[in-house]
Amino acid sequence: MSSQASPTLSLKGIGASPGVAVGHAYILDRKRVRTPKLRLAEAEVDPERQRMRTALELSDQQLSDLKDQISRTEGPEHALILEAHRLMLHDPMFVDEVNRLIVEDRINAEWAVRRVARKLKHLFDNIPDEYFRERRSDVEYVADRVVRNLLGQVVDEEVSLPDHAVVVAHDLSPADAAMLVRGGQVAGFVTDLGGHTSHTAIVARARSTPAVLGAGRASEQISPGDLVALDGTRGIILVNPSEEQLALFQETMRRHQESEARALAAKDLPAQSTDGFRIRLVGNIEFPEELPSLLAHGAEGIGLYRTEFMFLDRKTPPSEEEQYRAYRQVLEAMDGRPVTIRTLDLGGDKVPGKGRHEKEPNPAMGLRAIRYCLSDRALFRVQLRALLRASVHGHLRVMFPLICGMSELREARSELEACRTELGRAGVPLGKRFQVGIMVETPSAALIADRLAQEADFFSIGTNDLIQYSLAIDRQNREVAYLYKPLHLSVLRSLRSIVTAAKDAGIPVSMCGEMAGDPIYALVLLALGFDELSMTAGQIPTVKNVLRQASREEATRLLATAMELTTAEEIERYVRTEMDKRFSSEG
């Protein structure tokens, strides 16, 4: 093994699945196939449409076969994404538009597919939610499959990976990611595209495989066989590291593995400080497939179950029965542990079957989340009825997103109670009354938290949006993303105010944003007095280790000193220095 075959290269991406890995690069070339562009004679139109039908049928059969394979080996939940791709193949927005271009513009099917895919991808550009923006890739995966079938090229080619391979690719489809992790040879993932909510990230986290995504031109800069060291927490990639760098990385990996092993061994122990302050550590999920990993890492419940995935890539919204089955599955799997389900957090232009809406100039502040649900009561009630029915099967908590004022909370609760009465009169079995909380993620909610705490059963702070709105920072804008500072004094004061309001009212307060799972902030959150922190499975062991090795008294002193400082840079430098002193051996 030569670590100096090529010059050492340092790359930075998005830490999408925590953990450290070292292995040799396996370059997976899944770049988009070149698309021929041809004009058709009139007599060629009908044969071209038939060629398109054949390619669609073949694509559908391939996805069905792949779904069956993955269901047998990985469980049915992994296959849900492929079912969404099958639905996309039959979507009139896709099929009818391709046929129209073939007939009216007289262009070949491959060209028509690419044009329609580009148009559909643009529909996702206006979405404030990162998870749903990532769905642009799904359109690309489906279009690429159809084009490859039109050209008679091989799709879903199985690859034989060496052990401890670091898979490097421009991008990975859900099929690629799910198939690759089956064999157990993947040490880590590096991709040019993607982010924290892409399918590769979801699969990697579900399998506890370190991943750095969105790494620019990594697939062009890394050569087959290069030694790659990656840190899936910090988003760092070292290619052909020096012996000294490699030794440091391997030491970090060793400490991380030891730390995780200790934490996993202690997974049933409480996250309790040395002076007895208890914090419940729970998990964030998008898909039920993430549940086994959460439980293996000691999650005491689910702090955020995003329900939007059920509304994705389909022609009509999910029925009450479909939603009920999905919620029931998660509640039963968690076996009495608390499950916090967030009601729909989408804008009206993303809800299937609702027709086209005008493109909003500022979608992050537009008609979305609870605002949209209260503007479409019928859609909202379907979800509320499903939740009420599912409450029989476990420990359910429901929370409403983007609450900005008391009127919204009262209206939402009123709808819930109306649905409860309606189902009760119909004799439908219902569980006992469950807690109904809100996400505190806007400055307005933070400022009136004392009033909201009088009528909410719990708070869950969504720090991603709270920080974005408080500091007027668009995290997706690279020009200003550096200003996103979780330790900004205004953010800390806001968090303290929200927690104080909750404590004064006697209701629990949780955090489910990215800040909750970063161990750097663990003592700050311990000092603030959070009852619960919700994060991804792989983050739980490290955060628990930090909490179990510190006292709340020393955490309170750390926070007090930090809040005497003024700039975000000063506060962050101080907190990081103190955390390094205490926990540098934790990896």
Side-chain angles (χ1 to χ4, degrees):
M1 176 176 72
S2 172
S3 62
Q4 292 299 292
S6 303
T8 298
L9 179 65
S10 177
L11 302 172
K12 189 81 172 70
I14 298 168
S17 180
V20 180
V22 175
H24 288 278
Y26 184 93
I27 310 297
L28 192 65
D29 185 7
R30 290 284 196 262
K31 288 183 181 177
R32 198 173 74 175
V33 64
R34 187 177 179 82
T35 305
K37 296 180 179 178
L38 303 171
R39 294 287 178 185
L40 303 175
E42 184 174 355
E44 295 174 314
V45 168
D46 285 343
E48 193 69 0
R49 291 187 62 187
Q50 179 56 47
R51 202 165 71 89
M52 180 65 194
R53 278 194 293 273
T54 302
L56 287 173
E57 290 169 1
L58 183 56
S59 299
D60 185 69
Q61 187 58 53
Q62 290 164 348
L63 286 170
S64 177
D65 293 344
L66 197 55
K67 178 186 163 190
D68 290 343
Q69 287 180 40
I70 293 174
S71 293
R72 285 195 295 272
T73 56
E74 297 291 300
E77 296 85 0
H78 271 289
L80 286 175
I81 298 167
L82 299 179
E83 183 60 28
H85 284 196
R86 289 185 68 197
L87 291 171
M88 203 180 294
L89 284 173
H90 303 286
D91 192 325
M93 288 181 69
F94 177 68
V95 179
D96 292 354
E97 184 65 8
V98 168
N99 283 323
R100 188 189 70 76
L101 291 175
I102 293 172
V103 173
E104 297 181 6
D105 290 11
R106 290 191 184 175
I107 60 175
N108 63 323
E110 293 90 335
W111 191 1
V113 168
R114 291 298 186 202
R115 280 178 55 177
V116 174
R118 188 166 60 244
K119 183 178 177 182
L120 292 175
K121 283 168 63 179
H122 287 165
L123 294 177
F124 287 86
D125 290 341
N126 197 34
I127 303 178
D129 188 288
E130 180 187 355
Y131 174 79
F132 285 92
R133 267 199 307 277
E134 289 283 355
R135 304 289 75 81
R136 288 176 298 191
S137 299
D138 291 323
V139 177
E140 194 63 50
Y141 300 142
V142 171
D144 203 61
R145 176 179 294 276
V146 175
V147 170
R148 285 180 187 274
N149 280 321
L150 283 165
L151 295 171
Q153 295 191 355
V154 175
V155 295
D156 301 327
E157 186 178 13
E158 289 209 34
V159 295
S160 178
L161 294 174
D163 286 339
H164 307 297
V166 173
V167 175
V168 181
H170 178 64
D171 196 9
L172 288 173
S173 71
D176 281 332
M179 295 289 281
L180 284 168
V181 297
R182 286 194 310 169
Q185 290 94 352
V186 178
F189 287 110
V190 174
T191 62
D192 300 345
L193 305 180
H196 194 74
T197 55
S198 65
H199 289 308
T200 302
I202 293 169
V203 171
R205 289 197 297 272
R207 297 294 296 255
S208 300
T209 303
V212 179
L213 311 184
R217 296 169 45 244
S219 67
E220 297 176 9
Q221 296 170 291
I222 301 174
S223 301
D226 277 347
L227 188 62
V228 176
L230 68 95
D231 184 331
T233 303
R234 295 184 293 171
I236 295 172
I237 305 162
L238 290 181
V239 184
N240 295 320
S242 66
E243 290 186 4
E244 184 179 13
Q245 288 174 320
L246 182 60
L248 284 172
F249 224 93
Q250 288 175 325
E251 176 61 15
T252 301
M253 184 167 68
R254 185 189 64 76
R255 291 203 307 257
H256 179 88
Q257 289 170 342
E258 287 182 356
S259 173
E260 171 125 335
R262 284 198 304 272
L264 291 176
K267 73 180 183 65
D268 296 325
L269 296 176
Q272 182 170 297
S273 66
T274 56
D275 51 356
F277 190 86
R278 176 87 159 83
I279 296 181
R280 184 159 59 190
L281 300 187
V282 293
N284 297 340
I285 65 166
E286 279 93 3
F287 295 95
E289 66 192 13
E290 296 173 87
L291 291 176
S293 181
L294 271 186
L295 293 173
H297 285 80
E300 299 174 79
I302 293 175
L304 172 61
Y305 176 23
R306 300 182 175 96
T307 56
E308 293 79 34
F309 81 94
M310 282 185 287
F311 291 76
L312 180 68
D313 298 335
R314 53 190 302 157
K315 288 179 275 188
T316 57
S319 67
E320 179 184 320
E321 182 63 23
E322 183 180 346
Q323 294 187 57
Y324 160 73
R325 288 199 302 267
Y327 307 148
R328 174 179 177 172
Q329 179 189 359
V330 174
L331 285 162
E332 289 183 338
M334 292 306 289
D335 195 23
R337 300 175 183 85
V339 175
T340 306
I341 299 182
R342 184 179 70 183
T343 57
L344 182 63
D345 188 5
L346 280 179
D349 54 337
K350 312 305 172 304
V351 177
K354 295 300 172 185
R356 293 191 173 190
H357 292 244
E358 290 185 6
K359 186 173 181 177
E360 296 195 43
N362 195 349
M365 299 184 185
L367 185 62
R368 55 174 283 234
I370 196 64
R371 300 169 184 176
Y372 179 73
C373 288
L374 292 175
S375 74
D376 189 338
R377 305 288 173 121
L379 182 86
F380 192 31
R381 287 173 188 156
V382 169
Q383 183 171 38
L384 295 177
R385 283 196 298 268
L387 288 165
L388 285 159
R389 289 173 56 197
S391 66
V392 175
H393 303 288
H395 184 172
L396 174 67
R397 301 187 301 189
V398 170
M399 68 178 174
F400 302 124
L402 206 69
I403 292 288
C404 293
M406 188 67 86
S407 296
E408 289 173 326
L409 173 57
R410 287 174 178 169
E411 283 190 66
R413 293 199 73 140
S414 176
E415 287 296 335
L416 180 66
E417 291 311 308
C419 291
R420 189 193 303 276
T421 301
E422 180 182 287
L423 290 170
R425 285 177 177 166
V428 176
L430 302 175
K432 61 182 181 183
R433 285 190 174 273
F434 46 80
Q435 290 184 312
V436 178
I438 64 169
M439 287 198 71
V440 180
E441 51 190 338
T442 65
S444 66
L447 287 169
I448 62 166
D450 57 331
R451 306 296 177 86
L452 290 168
Q454 300 303 314
E455 298 189 24
D457 296 329
F458 65 91
F459 284 164
S460 182
I461 301 178
T463 48
N464 299 353
D465 274 345
L466 181 63
I467 295 170
Q468 173 173 258
Y469 292 136
S470 296
L471 303 182
I473 299 300
D474 180 359
R475 292 197 305 155
Q476 306 305 319
N477 184 337
R478 294 188 178 186
E479 300 296 322
V480 297
Y482 73 97
L483 293 170
Y484 185 86
K485 301 285 187 183
L487 293 179
H488 194 289
L489 186 57
S490 66
V491 175
L492 292 177
R493 286 181 173 180
S494 187
L495 294 177
R496 186 170 62 182
S497 172
I498 298 166
V499 173
T500 299
K503 298 293 181 185
D504 287 348
I507 64 170
V509 57
S510 172
M511 176 182 285
C512 61
E514 289 177 13
M515 190 176 181
D518 191 331
I520 287 294
Y521 308 127
L523 292 194
V524 169
L525 304 183
L526 171 64
L528 286 168
F530 279 88
D531 300 294
E532 183 179 283
L533 301 176
S534 190
M535 60 201 74
T536 60
Q539 293 170 317
I540 291 174
T542 307
V543 172
K544 181 185 285 188
N545 267 347
V546 171
L547 295 173
R548 286 181 59 82
Q549 294 181 49
S551 70
R552 186 158 186 241
E553 184 180 346
E554 65 179 309
T556 301
R557 286 198 298 272
L558 180 147
L559 179 62
T561 303
M563 293 187 71
E564 288 174 0
L565 304 171
T566 302
T567 71
E569 291 75 17
E570 290 171 342
I571 296 174
E572 181 165 341
R573 192 180 312 118
Y574 169 72
V575 170
R576 286 189 180 277
T577 300
E578 292 300 309
M579 294 300 286
D580 283 345
K581 286 181 189 172
R582 290 169 167 82
F583 305 105
S584 59
S585 65
E586 290 298 316

